[in-house]
Amino acid sequence: PIRPITGAALAIVATCVAVSIVAMLLGFRPDIMALKPLPIVMLREGMLLILGFASLAAVVAAARPSVGRAGSDGSWIWALAAAALFPLTSIVLIFAGMPVPSEARDPMEGMGCLVTSGISALIVGGALTLWLRRGAPTAPGRIGWLVGLSAGSFGTFAYGLRCMSSTVFYVGLWYTLAVAFCAVLGRLIVPRLIRW
């Protein structure tokens, strides 16, 4: 029988692998290396972990459904709502007249975020999908969203340890796009691979 703890452990190990690859190829932010991260870095990384673990809990619960059990308490929805504070704050600040920093407007800088986050998410999402193939998820479309959301959150967390930006605008735009892109890819790809 499939064990939820195994799926959770695989996702955590895959995230550690992604973090290690980012560290080896790109290095970490200087403030993280000095163990003195800026508050915005702690907030964004913490929010990504909360969203990643909340959606991961829903994924592993849905791998072995049973009658009379909800499978997911919906905590991932609350975590997603909390993560939406970053783009919403950015929008409010723009309407309040605060200038958007050039790093948040630079498409090349943003593409680095999307690519690194996406590759890191692929490692996590691949591990989760292989594990899910042993299970019996009854809602492949929903599971696809959740795998993408969890992998995207963990993958963007790995990139965030290297990301030199310290503005809410950058997080609100590029991190949101990275996680959303992974969620959409998860919805499009994962159901075809786990259908039974």
Side-chain angles (χ1 to χ4, degrees):
I2 193 167
R3 299 177 61 206
I5 191 71
T6 305
L10 276 174
I12 292 168
V13 168
T15 301
C16 291
V17 168
V19 167
S20 299
I21 292 171
V22 168
M24 286 187 300
L25 297 180
L26 304 174
F28 288 154
R29 290 173 53 101
D31 57 331
I32 290 178
M33 292 299 292
L35 301 179
K36 295 179 181 178
L38 296 176
I40 185 68
V41 175
M42 294 175 68
L43 287 171
R44 76 184 187 206
E45 294 299 283
M47 182 52 63
L48 288 166
L49 284 178
I50 290 170
L51 183 56
F53 279 115
S55 49
L56 175 61
V59 169
V60 298
R64 53 177 209 177
S66 63
V67 176
R69 185 169 63 95
S72 169
D73 60 2
S75 61
W76 67 273
I77 297 172
W78 290 105
L80 185 60
L85 288 174
F86 284 99
L88 291 176
T89 300
S90 299
I91 292 169
V92 169
L93 291 175
I94 289 170
F95 279 114
M98 185 172 284
V100 178
S102 60
E103 65 186 18
R105 289 183 277 123
D106 183 2
M108 292 308 294
E109 185 77 26
M111 286 306 295
C113 170
L114 294 178
V115 169
T116 307
S117 297
I119 292 171
S120 298
L122 184 62
I123 296 168
V124 179
L128 269 177
T129 303
L130 288 174
W131 175 77
L132 277 170
R133 288 175 60 85
R134 297 182 50 226
T138 57
R142 182 172 174 271
I143 293 298
W145 284 116
L146 290 169
V147 167
L149 184 60
S150 183
S153 299
F154 288 132
T156 307
F157 166 82
Y159 168 75
L161 295 172
R162 185 265 179 270
C163 177
M164 295 302 176
S165 175
S166 300
T167 70
V168 70
F169 294 102
Y170 191 91
V171 176
L173 175 60
W174 296 108
Y175 282 39
T176 301
L177 284 176
V179 174
F181 180 70
C182 291
V184 170
L185 280 183
R187 173 58 183 91
L188 294 174
I189 296 170
V190 172
R192 299 176 187 189
L193 300 177
I194 63 171
R195 201 173 303 277
W196 50 280

